[in-house]
Amino acid sequence: MKSRASILILLGLLFKASSGENSTNIYYLELHIEEAAYENFTKLIENLVLGVDNSAIVKNITITTDCVRKDPSGMVNCTCKSSSSWSDEVCKNYTQCCNQDYCTFTTPNPRAMCLSKNRVLVNGSFTLNHKPFPQTAEYETFINNYTTMLERTYSTLGWFDSLSITGLRQGSVIVDFVMTLTEQFQVTQLQRITIDLQTNLTTTIVLIITGFTRISVSQKKVPYNSPASITCSTSQNLGNAIWSFTQDGQRIKDITNGTEAKVISYSQGSSVSISDATEVWKGTFSCEYKLNNSDFIKFSDSLYLDIALLPKIFIISDPQFPNCKDQKENKLKIEVQCIVPNTTEQYIVTWSKNFVDSYFPVPLQNGLISYKASYIISCDELEFYNVTCTFTNQLNQKRNATLDIPIIQRHSAVCKEDDGWPQTKANFTAIKFCSAADVGLQRRMCLKESWQGVRSECVNRKLSNLLEDAKNLERGLGTVEKADSLFLRLKQSTEQETMNTFANINASVDILDSIQNASKIQNRLLDMKVFPDFVKSSSNLLNSSANNNWRTEDLDGNYSLAFKYLVVVEEVIRQTNTTPVGAYASQFKEENVQIMIHNNSTSDKFSNDFGVSVDDISALYVQTAIKNLTSKLPNTLNGTETDPSDTILSVIAYNNTSMKIVMSFNKNRLRNHKMYCVFWANTTWSDKGCTWGGVDNPNHCECNHLSAFTILMAKKPIQLLYMDELTYTGLGFSVASLALCLVIEFLVWNAVVKSNIAHFKHTVLVNIMISLLIADCSFFVTHTPSSTPSNWCLTLTVMKHFCYLAVFFWMMCLSLGLLHQVIFVFVHLRKKVYLGLCFFLGYVCPLIIVVVTFISNDNGATGKYYSTETCWLIYDTPLEGSIHAFLFPVFIIVFVNMFTMVVVISRILKPTLSEGSTLGEKEVARSIVKTVVLLSPILGITWILGLFVLMLDLTKEPYAQIVNYAFTFFNSFQGFFILLTACFGEKKVLDALLKRLRPQKSADYNSKSSIRVTSTTKRK
């Protein structure tokens, strides 16, 4: 058997000791031996130690490369031993060898063969104050001196190979050097000698070491949307790893726990688990250890994670709606394009049907690329044409997009082209791309040949990039400690006027949501320095110019964005370290948002324009006032429509214990409108645990928990049950009764009117009845104001105003006549004087009041003089509103009439000598009751209840309800009571009526006592 020569490349470690200084050198040996001696030789050198002289020894001799001579020409086949790999020099000069186990060389170069897999590379730098000029003797001396010093220091490390200064750069003078070691060493020794060297040089040396850590991935190429795990292991315990990621030369981001990433640390290693491998994670992962958490000695390694991508596909046809209606031929060409992000992934693109693709994709703007295909269709009766494009990646994963192309046939209804929108088939939606400054699409529906509004999904490109960065933070790319740049960019974006669209507002809220969610997942609080930008951003979103853009046209009535905004703002505050320290302020104020941080030493109040304050709370807390948001939230509470306050008050305590809070809201309450103190409960308002201060303290709220609060006012006043039914039933009785009264007066007039006093009395009664009858009829006509024409509403309001005033002025005439008869018994009124005064008071005075009121309120303008909702005078506030032109005269007259009644009752209690002896107590009481009962309807005494109706708000239960029902009952039935008292209760009238109805019979009846003109009662 022919013997064969072997060439062994050996690595030996020389330890040298001299002058008390230990150093090491690496030697590379090339040894030629016969193949037969190979096995014996390798056993021999395993534990061989060679003494060079008294000061040095060689040990740890290791075979790294095994070469076999191929032929006499000198060509050799070399391979690395299992513990070694091709050196960087081999990979550089012989690229074909780097990924192969064997390689052929002309002559092996001992320094360019295989090196230990555990070799270590150290990149270092330090700063000096002096820099020599390049290409000078001083420069060469400078480099040589510092190289020698560094070699002398670091050669004491085991397996030290080489060290060289690679250059000088600016920053005072930064000296960069690189050091190689063929095996790992003790890191504590490196730390010790580096600290000593820093002390000698009075500078800081930064070392970045590769080779101590080994980073690996479970798969060489990871399938899309599948999990992936990257592991970083060390041979020594270096502490906790810091993971980072970079992609396409972008800024390096830390990796931490998130929705897609999870970092796990264990002894001598760490791993990152990716739950969903997408284009986000295709890039370089690096793990770094800091020795004893110092910044000057770092151990790192990196790995490129290759992911087989699948694109997000947008498919569209040109034209969007192929038109066969106007085609002379039966053929029509359709071009379809599938637009995807432009990446390094090589896709195989296939099309359905017989589409012919263009083979070469077309680059578009904004990092997109288009694959196109075309097809000739036949204009038959098909309503749709279906197209699918399929993308297949290198791992044979597929993703497709399908488009149903609506065909415009001869019978199809369409919307014509309009401002760049293509001709569109009825009941379909056309699509337009956004401008170059935006990302997304615009959509517009064609409904029954009529264009609908445009629904824009366009998001500002800068804001879209910011949203992607925030989403990446939530995924686990980055730490919340560096989120201040996101808040700054958000503030800058929201300051632009073009941001006031639904899509941009929604994206901005999503950004805040992602940041606060990342803070929760990472279990780290945001720094308080983000508050100024956060408050400004959240305030900008609520600017009045964006009021109409918080709901899209097709989502009208959907409050989800406002829901999310309120929750997100609270969560960002909750996830911020709000303990005021250093230069941080305790309050932050913008136009629509103000935040105050309270503790035992602060007593700040919200600005007056926010209209809210916290009066009492038993905790350290953060309170936030938010304006202009309640209009974007639901305005109902348990089915009741309300008018909310302009401000929401959010209160967050430093601890989560339950507590009591007292607040005040500047909300103007309308009369008889109930107020509700409420808090936000997920998707609606709730008043559980909250108490309103009542009508006496209408802006006061008290709750037994913390949340986001506001105060709501019912849009409609409190409605009393059956009040309308009671009113119109009474009016019906009154109208009929008054009509009957007038008929009776006509029948008995000649029989009862036989003196001036009787004439006075019945003339006044007839005018009261006529005025009240007209007023009640007018009231009846306007029982449904919404169906009453506006001009009739004004006419009837004037009519009611005049007639009701006339009723009371005629009642006052009756009262004054009665008062005169009681006080001036022997002085008789002259008929012309009394009747002239009565007609002046009864009709002229009401007319003057109505005319003056009408003119002073913009000539009877709607909303000034009368309301179209009630066809009656307007009540604004106490002493304001046209209603007071009715109330003041009425209450003055009622008080005058009450005075008359008191005088009559006093005469009953103390009769004059001419009226006989004093009555017994029972008779007196009976007489007083009869007087009150008989006089109250005809003198309008029951209208005094109206004063209490005005004084008592309906929220004062049950007193206000009792008074309102009593007022309505007595005064709606007033005509009926007048019938009972003035007609049937008057003996002379009743006798005359019976005599008129039954003239053949005597009307001899025993009747009860009735009121005499002198208002006295006698016992028979």
Side-chain angles (χ1 to χ4, degrees), residues 463 487-500 508 532-533 536-537 539-541 543 545 590:
L463 192 66
F487 283 101
L488 175 61
R489 290 165 60 191
L490 181 60
K491 183 197 75 169
Q492 293 170 345
S493 294
T494 56
E495 287 175 341
Q496 302 177 25
E497 292 185 5
T498 56
M499 296 298 294
N500 295 331
S508 301
D533 292 334
K536 181 64 175 176
S537 302
S539 175
N540 290 340
L541 296 177
N543 285 341
S545 57
E590 294 296 339

Side-chain angles (χ1 to χ4, degrees), residues 618-630:
S618 54
L620 305 179
Y621 61 98
V622 179
Q623 60 184 36
T624 307
I626 305 173
K627 286 198 309 182
N628 205 20
L629 179 63
T630 51

